[in-house]
Amino acid sequence: MNEVVMDRTMSQNVSTPYDSLLSVAKGRYSCRAFQKRPVPRTDIDRILEVARTAPSDCNTQPASMFILSGSALEALRAEMYEAAATGRERTSDVPPIGTYTGVFQERRRECGLSLYNAVGIQKGDREASGRQALENFRFFGAPHLAVVTVHNDLAERGLFDTGIYLGHFLLAAQALGVAAVPQGAIAHYADVIRRHAPIAPELRVVCGVSFGYEVKDHAANSFRTDRVEIADSVVFVD
């Protein structure tokens, strides 16, 4: 093989930073069944090292995170599940979406049906779907929960920046082989979370992220959701 052909072959086999990032992004999914095995603290620190590089408005860095593990997490898991199972009144720092409409409702329904189909729940079986929904409040058995908060002074801009921080966290976890699922539902019991984590009054609970190692052969981890095409969400103006 001559040098020109060899160089071309080698260049085709070398992964670029873009290729690596795209692979990580497309490999990420919302895990809904975790092993009990904890993630080493060194790897959690590596995930956070990436998350803290996220940009923010004027470098305000409004996001902060509380990571619960061990007995602290088990105490929260028990109370959170009991609160959801008994229909305890919800308290949200960030108001939930009131009504899903149009294409957003369609996508939401498709996501739910895909999960229920994967775990063998028949359409219309409200009892079974209710049991599955309650697994959110057990954090799907994850050994770690990151509670994502934002300082109230930064208002809606702070929420936007916190979303960027969260995105960095999720991609970093995926890059290290750590599965995760962002959960908005648990933030509707912000008062329960506050009883188990030292979250200051000026911080709003945005969401949780359950994370750990996936149960690879679990039915709840067997489906993937679609993404809209670029042309459906981007307009180029020249």
Side-chain angles (χ1 to χ4, degrees):
M1 182 182 293
N2 63 48
E3 291 184 3
V4 173
V5 174
M6 183 179 295
D7 288 344
R8 184 181 299 118
T9 301
M10 291 179 63
S11 65
Q12 290 173 345
N13 292 332
V14 174
S15 176
T16 67
Y18 172 81
D19 294 330
S20 298
L21 178 59
L22 183 63
S23 176
V24 168
K26 289 198 170 184
R28 197 211 66 78
Y29 78 102
S30 291
C31 180
R32 293 180 174 85
F34 292 89
Q35 301 176 31
K36 293 181 179 180
R37 178 167 61 102
V39 177
R41 175 60 184 270
T42 52
D43 281 350
I44 297 177
D45 287 343
R46 293 173 73 191
I47 294 169
L48 295 171
E49 182 64 23
V50 173
R52 78 185 189 94
T53 69
S56 58
D57 184 22
C58 297
N59 198 35
T60 49
Q61 304 176 67
S64 56
M65 196 174 259
F66 297 79
I67 298 179
L68 287 81
S69 308
S71 59
L73 177 59
E74 294 311 313
L76 173 59
R77 196 191 317 265
E79 185 177 358
M80 182 70 73
Y81 184 84
E82 190 274 337
T86 58
R88 189 184 303 179
E89 183 180 1
R90 296 187 174 194
T91 55
S92 304
D93 294 343
V94 179
I97 297 172
T99 303
Y100 292 85
T101 60
V103 67
F104 309 115
Q105 171 65 352
E106 292 173 13
R107 293 169 185 164
R108 179 175 183 263
R109 183 183 295 115
E110 181 181 354
C111 179
L113 290 175
S114 295
L115 170 60
Y116 297 149
N117 287 337
V119 297
I121 296 175
Q122 298 298 316
K123 185 176 181 180
D125 188 342
R126 294 186 178 278
E127 183 178 348
S129 61
R131 286 197 302 270
Q132 178 62 43
L134 282 173
E135 289 304 305
N136 276 283
F137 304 99
R138 281 199 179 111
F139 318 127
F140 302 108
H144 308 283
L145 175 72
V147 179
V148 183
T149 73
V150 61
H151 200 285
N152 194 53
D153 286 355
L154 279 298
E156 302 310 311
R157 177 58 61 178
L159 284 172
F160 175 80
D161 290 337
T162 300
I164 301 175
Y165 179 95
L166 173 59
H168 279 54
F169 181 94
L170 293 173
L171 289 178
Q174 179 67 24
L176 286 176
V178 176
V181 55
Q183 297 177 264
I186 68 169
H188 302 321
Y189 290 103
D191 59 335
V192 175
I193 294 173
R194 280 192 163 84
R195 281 196 284 274
H196 298 269
I199 301 173
E202 63 271 18
L203 299 179
R204 289 190 286 172
V205 175
V206 179
C207 68
V209 182
S210 295
F211 68 98
Y213 298 108
E214 65 180 342
V215 178
K216 292 184 181 296
D217 59 354
H218 196 287
N221 290 337
S222 66
F223 78 99
R224 299 292 183 269
T225 52
D226 294 329
R227 295 295 184 270
V228 300
E229 298 297 327
I230 292 175
D232 294 326
S233 61
V234 177
V235 176
F236 292 93
V237 182
D238 296 323

